[in-house]
Amino acid sequence: MDVDGGSKRVYNRLGGDAKHQKVCFHWQAGKCNRYPCPFLHSELPASSHANGASSKRAYDNTGLSGFSGQRGRPNFNNTWGRGGGRGGGGGRGAVVKAEKVCNYWIQGNCNYGERCKFLHSWKVGDGFSLLTQLEGHQKAVSAIAFPSGSDKLYTGSTDETARIWDCQSGKCVGVINLGGEVGCMISEGPWVFVGIPNFVKAWNTQNLMELSLNGPVGQVYALVVSNDMLFAGTQDGSILAWKFNVGNNCFEPAASLKGHSRGVVSLVVGANRLYSGSMDNTIRVWNLETLQCIQTLTEHTSVVMSVLCWEQFLLSCSLDKTVKVWYATESGNLEVTYTHNEEHGILTLCGMHDSQGKPILLGACNDNTVRLYDLPSFAERGKILTKQEVRAIQIGPNGIFFTGDGTGEVRVWNWSAEATATVQ
Ligand SMILES: [Zn+2]
Ligand SMILES: [Zn+2]
């Protein structure tokens, strides 16, 4: 049901108020019986059909502008941002496609075929493909977890349920009513942890033990595990920590990390540090042994939506429409070494490798796309188009990855081993 609504939204967005400017596809096929027909019975000029405002923006956006924040070290990490544009995307024929999905194709009846100037695909770029779609959630997919070694996928939604999917059949094999919107979900070993308002639920997928950890005030937006510690970023700005007690097989409250003045929406662990991104626009760096805050990064000007460790770098994205790359100086403090501008704003980041082992950064943008960037060049490698914005991206096994969007749809993607025709 919600999926149909999503299609309508895409349809409206593609056509919008200018739907009378669309060429009638029945007329195109020589058999329009509508009178009066709301669509044009004549061809549009090619330029206005293919170069809509949004596709023009998309192409302009590939002009990466190099570096920022070098701070007197001109040769330092100088490979960041040497992208200059999309690398993939070859082999799509002579027709330059507007980067919009064809609404007739979505409805299964586009008569333009190869000549259609809109996409007959949910993606642009080579080397990856859509395997299947998982439909069931009634509202936005807010989290996806894939326990390693499992054959089950877990998804959480603002429809207040978690769904369990069998990876062989693609069928939903369980729906768990949580009584609150899912804020986040991760897996670690046999455990799946789910953040909901005022609680973290912990499910052991092997012995089926269920625990409910209280302490959070408001929504739990982010979870991360380091060694035997579980950290939860909460709506009131604190980060709660639990320690796993092997003897009692339970999680015991261990600490509350104070410092952020607003909700903590992203957490990541790397190099014996915990990094927290917040609605107070800052990233805090915490020593994992002392649990003390050792640095506060204040260079973002809006909510820090996602933090990610890649090699020796910290990457962060913000509603200020930038991705920042941070690197530790000799003193140990983090400084910005590169800023990538993304005009639509990036909601979440995920890093993975393609089928040839190249590092790829996936960024879910606020314009209903997921952009795929090569690292460290930030060259745009491809793009996924969705019905609404993607709020969750998760890596699976064997080159598989998952996206969940605002309509409740989960998509399963695969990096394939096919040769990629890259244009450098
Ligand atoms: Zn017509
Ligand atoms: Zn079409």
Side-chain angles (χ1 to χ4, degrees):
M1 296 307 152
D2 200 25
V3 170
D4 291 336
S7 295
K8 281 201 194 76
R9 279 189 292 275
V10 171
Y11 181 89
N12 289 337
R13 196 159 53 244
L14 291 171
D17 296 332
K19 68 179 179 181
H20 297 93
Q21 290 306 306
K22 285 194 166 298
V23 178
C24 172
F25 75 94
H26 291 302
W27 172 82
Q28 186 80 18
K31 55 182 167 101
C32 181
N33 298 322
R34 287 179 291 206
Y35 183 83
C37 178
F39 298 101
L40 286 178
H41 283 193
S42 64
E43 292 286 359
L44 285 172
S47 60
S48 70
H49 190 50
N51 294 327
S54 67
S55 63
K56 187 163 185 291
R57 278 203 307 274
Y59 284 115
D60 288 347
N61 191 41
T62 58
L64 295 166
S65 56
F67 308 96
S68 68
Q70 291 191 16
R71 303 191 185 203
R73 288 169 290 142
N75 296 319
F76 190 65
N77 298 323
N78 63 359
T79 54
W80 283 103
R82 287 281 169 88
R86 180 178 302 126
R92 280 187 286 135
V95 177
V96 177
K97 307 277 187 186
E99 292 195 346
K100 293 177 177 180
V101 179
C102 172
N103 53 316
Y104 298 122
W105 174 77
I106 291 170
Q107 293 165 359
N109 61 359
C110 180
N111 293 336
Y112 287 87
E114 287 289 305
R115 292 183 301 125
C116 185
K117 283 162 182 160
F118 294 102
L119 294 173
H120 287 188
S121 171
W122 289 107
K123 61 124 192 174
V124 176
D126 296 327
F128 66 103
S129 56
L130 177 63
L131 286 183
T132 189
Q133 303 177 175
L134 308 177
E135 291 168 6
H137 281 301
Q138 300 300 303
K139 291 184 181 175
V141 176
S142 48
I144 304 174
F146 187 86
S148 59
S150 167
D151 62 349
K152 300 288 190 295
L153 179 73
Y154 290 72
T155 57
S157 167
T158 57
D159 69 9
E160 305 191 356
T161 69
R163 283 178 176 262
I164 306 170
W165 309 84
D166 183 279
C167 291
Q168 305 303 320
S169 67
K171 295 272 188 291
C172 181
V173 294
V175 180
I176 301 164
N177 289 305
L178 289 160
E181 295 189 355
V182 173
C184 59
M185 178 159 50
I186 63 164
S187 63
E188 180 70 25
W191 292 94
V192 173
F193 301 100
V194 185
I196 59 173
N198 306 318
F199 291 99
V200 174
K201 299 279 185 184
W203 304 324
N204 189 309
T205 58
Q206 288 175 358
N207 62 18
L208 304 182
M209 175 188 284
E210 283 188 34
L211 300 171
S212 197
L213 312 181
N214 57 20
V217 175
Q219 183 58 284
V220 177
Y221 292 116
L223 289 163
V224 72
V225 167
S226 174
N227 297 323
D228 54 355
M229 297 277 280
L230 171 69
F231 296 92
T234 66
Q235 192 170 3
D236 76 347
S238 51
I239 301 168
L240 301 185
W242 292 266
K243 199 171 180 65
F244 186 65
N245 184 317
V246 179
N248 295 334
N249 208 19
C250 68
F251 293 86
E252 295 174 342
S256 177
L257 285 58
K258 303 285 189 190
H260 285 296
S261 60
R262 297 187 62 196
V264 174
V265 294
S266 52
L267 293 171
V268 72
V269 164
N272 205 31
R273 300 279 187 268
L274 171 70
Y275 304 94
S276 55
S278 168
M279 295 169 81
D280 69 11
N281 304 351
T282 70
I283 300 166
R284 282 181 176 260
V285 185
W286 310 82
N287 181 310
L288 270 177
E289 286 171 6
T290 64
L291 300 182
Q292 297 300 305
C293 179
I294 52 178
Q295 193 184 358
T296 302
L297 311 178
T298 59
E299 307 217 7
H300 280 299
T301 57
S302 187
V303 178
V304 179
M305 295 294 287
S306 188
V307 282
L308 178 74
C309 290
W310 184 66
E311 296 193 341
Q312 67 272 50
F313 301 96
L314 176 72
L315 278 66
S316 59
C317 74
S318 164
L319 295 184
D320 69 9
K321 303 182 178 178
T322 67
V323 177
K324 290 188 184 293
V325 179
W326 307 80
Y327 188 79
T329 61
E330 291 83 350
S331 69
N333 280 341
L334 287 172
E335 290 188 356
V336 173
T337 187
Y338 177 68
T339 297
H340 172 76
N341 294 298
E342 168 45 60
E343 71 168 310
H344 301 290
I346 299 192
L347 304 173
T348 189
L349 295 175
C350 181
M352 67 179 302
H353 292 91
D354 70 4
S355 59
Q356 295 164 335
K358 293 179 185 164
I360 304 287
L361 180 69
L362 290 81
C365 296
N366 221 350
D367 64 345
N368 302 347
T369 67
V370 177
R371 285 158 204 263
L372 284 67
Y373 305 101
D374 283 324
L375 288 184
S377 69
F378 269 95
E380 195 176 311
R381 158 80 172 259
K383 190 190 281 185
I384 288 169
L385 300 100
T386 53
K387 293 170 181 172
Q388 284 188 27
E389 78 281 2
V390 164
R391 303 187 194 180
I393 308 173
Q394 174 63 42
I395 302 169
N398 305 321
I400 285 176
F401 63 100
F402 309 95
T403 56
D405 78 11
T407 68
E409 187 169 275
V410 176
R411 292 192 183 155
V412 185
W413 302 86
N414 183 33
W415 284 103
S416 55
E418 63 178 297
T420 56
T422 50
V423 180
Q424 295 297 340

